[in-house]
């Protein structure tokens, strides 16, 4: 047995390859976070688990994690390239990406272009109705409470974010909306709404905000412009067919996966 490396890797295989032993920081419904290789970094692992309605409905959808890892990489890289800062550093493998560790503001930030989902229910507006302008909503991130809708009054009074933070959050959310709407429109998909999370990173004495978590069809509503076909997690929430087919279609149109890609197939035995 060789000596343990100071970085925590352990040589445990008889032929000298080593297995990583790393620290799990947090496990959520769709992702696991591990301590990253350098201070201030995190490895974000995308699981195949799908949940909806605060985990009342759940399933394992083979290949979802691989698709979301790729799609989130695509959107985050695009945002970085147009000057919208994100936590994304680089993709590591099929299911993992390296991200900057940040302090998540405990809000789900929702931007809506067309009425759907909880907005349609709450205000009695037919799904698909174009909104007069993008509407930004905030939900308090708390599973036990079912992520309730809150206003800026609650956010300020309870100290979840400062007024300066909220000015930046609004501006970032609208920039993400412009970028994502354009990218999707170019491939014949309507960005109906989406959810993002934003975190604080510290550079010395300075703090800035970055887009964190993931951007994927798990956290957006995406409808085909011609047919209205849903290409997002509503396929799972509402039992509308194959979720991986829907996500693969988004990935294929964006050129993220080659045509007829076999990334989501099971390993096959080679004789
Ligand atoms: P909603 O209409 O159910 O409030 O959802 C608005 C958007 O937010 C939609 O694109 C789906 C996304 N979303 C999440 O990413 N996570 C959630 O927990 C919920 C409820 C919605
Ligand atoms: N809230 C997530 C969704 O519906 C998942 C969940 O609540 O379990 O998108």
């Amino acid at each position: 047995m060789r000596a343990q490396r100071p970085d925590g890797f352990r040589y445990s295989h008889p032929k000298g390859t080593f297995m990583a032993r790393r620290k799990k920081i947090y496990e959520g419904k769709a992702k696991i976070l591990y301590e990253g290789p350098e201070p201030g970094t995190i490895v974000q692992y995308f699981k195949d688990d799908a949940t909806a309605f605060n985990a009342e409905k759940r399933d394992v959808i083979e290949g979802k994690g691989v698709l979301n890892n790729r799609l989130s990489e695509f959107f985050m890289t695009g945002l970085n390239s147009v000057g919208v800062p994100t936590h994304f550093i680089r993709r590591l493998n099929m299911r993992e990406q390296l991200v900057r560790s940040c302090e998540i503001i405990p809000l789900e930030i929702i931007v809506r272009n067309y009425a759907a989902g909880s907005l349609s229910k709450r205000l009695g507006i037919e799904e698909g109705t174009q909104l007069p302008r993008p509407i930004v909503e905030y939900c308090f991130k708390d599973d036990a409470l079912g992520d309730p809708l809150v206003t800026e009054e609650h956010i300020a009074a309870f100290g979840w974010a400062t007024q300066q933070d909220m000015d930046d959050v609004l501006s970032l959310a609208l920039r993400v909306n412009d970028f994502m709407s354009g990218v999707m429109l170019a491939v014949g998909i309507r960005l109906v709404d989406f959810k993002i999370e934003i975190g604080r990173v510290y550079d010395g004495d300075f703090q800035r905000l970055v887009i964190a978590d993931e951007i994927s069809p798990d956290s957006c509503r995406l409808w085909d412009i011609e047919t209205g076909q849903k290409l997002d997690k509503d396929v799972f929430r509402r039992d509308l067919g194959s979720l991986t087919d829907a996500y693969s279609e988004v990935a294929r149109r964006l050129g993220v996966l080659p045509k007829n890609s076999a990334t989501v197939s099971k390993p096959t035995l080679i004789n």
Side-chain angles (χ1 to χ4, degrees), residues 74-75 78-79 82 174-184:
F74 177 82
F75 296 128
L79 284 166
V82 298
L174 293 174
R175 289 172 76 193
V176 172
N177 187 42
D178 284 347
F179 173 80
M180 292 286 297
S181 295
V183 166
M184 299 316 299

Side-chain angles (χ1 to χ4, degrees), residues 14-246:
K15 286 193 178 142
T17 55
F18 54 82
M19 299 285 288
R21 187 171 54 95
R22 53 188 182 174
K23 195 170 155 206
K24 192 193 273 191
I25 299 172
Y26 176 78
E27 177 156 2
K29 287 179 280 195
K31 295 186 293 297
I32 306 175
L33 303 182
Y34 296 98
E35 224 168 51
E38 295 124 36
T41 64
I42 283 181
V43 174
Q44 190 164 262
Y45 175 98
F46 287 76
K47 301 194 281 187
D48 280 343
D49 301 41
T51 68
F53 316 121
N54 213 1
E56 268 173 36
K57 180 180 167 101
R58 50 170 76 232
D59 203 351
V60 177
I61 314 276
E62 200 185 326
K64 180 173 86 81
V66 173
L67 285 157
N68 280 352
N69 185 27
R70 287 277 187 165
L71 284 162
S72 201
E73 172 194 17
F74 177 82
F75 296 128
M76 295 281 185
T77 309
L79 284 166
N80 282 339
S81 74
V82 298
V84 179
T86 80
H87 71 159
F88 183 82
I89 301 172
R90 66 175 181 277
R91 188 169 58 80
L92 297 171
N93 55 48
M94 299 269 278
R95 286 187 183 272
E96 293 179 328
Q97 47 185 248
L98 188 67
V99 300
R100 271 194 79 164
S101 115
C102 57
E103 191 182 283
I104 297 284
I105 295 177
L107 297 173
E108 302 215 327
I109 298 139
I110 296 169
V111 184
R112 302 179 184 272
N113 299 305
Y114 294 81
S118 67
L119 179 92
S120 289
K121 221 182 239 177
R122 205 185 318 129
L123 301 180
I125 306 175
E126 197 186 337
E127 287 209 317
T129 309
Q130 185 165 16
L131 299 171
R133 62 186 178 110
I135 294 178
V136 182
E137 296 176 341
Y138 306 108
C139 293
F140 179 50
K141 247 177 89 69
D142 186 320
D143 279 346
L145 299 175
D147 301 335
L149 190 69
V150 292
T151 69
E152 290 199 51
E153 275 291 293
H154 301 103
I155 297 167
F158 295 119
W160 297 326
T162 63
Q163 189 54 53
Q164 177 64 55
D165 284 338
M166 291 315 291
D167 291 348
D168 294 346
V169 162
L170 179 63
S171 140
L172 284 170
L174 293 174
R175 289 172 76 193
V176 172
N177 187 42
D178 284 347
F179 173 80
M180 292 286 297
S181 295
V183 166
M184 299 316 299
L185 191 63
V187 296
I189 294 174
R190 168 164 300 146
L191 179 65
V192 173
D193 58 29
F194 66 90
K195 183 268 303 187
I196 49 171
E197 294 181 26
I198 290 181
R200 302 186 180 92
V201 294
Y202 296 93
D203 288 317
D205 288 343
F206 294 96
Q207 169 213 289
R208 63 194 176 90
L209 300 185
V210 298
I211 311 299
D213 190 52
E214 71 178 278
I215 302 181
S216 74
D218 265 13
S219 53
C220 301
R221 282 200 174 89
L222 305 170
W223 296 358
D224 181 273
I225 284 179
E226 296 291 322
T227 65
Q229 189 193 353
K230 292 180 178 29
L231 299 169
D232 57 65
K233 205 163 97 177
D234 274 349
V235 170
F236 169 72
R237 294 189 190 97
R238 303 180 188 189
D239 294 317
L240 300 176
S242 159
L243 194 73
T244 41
D245 282 358

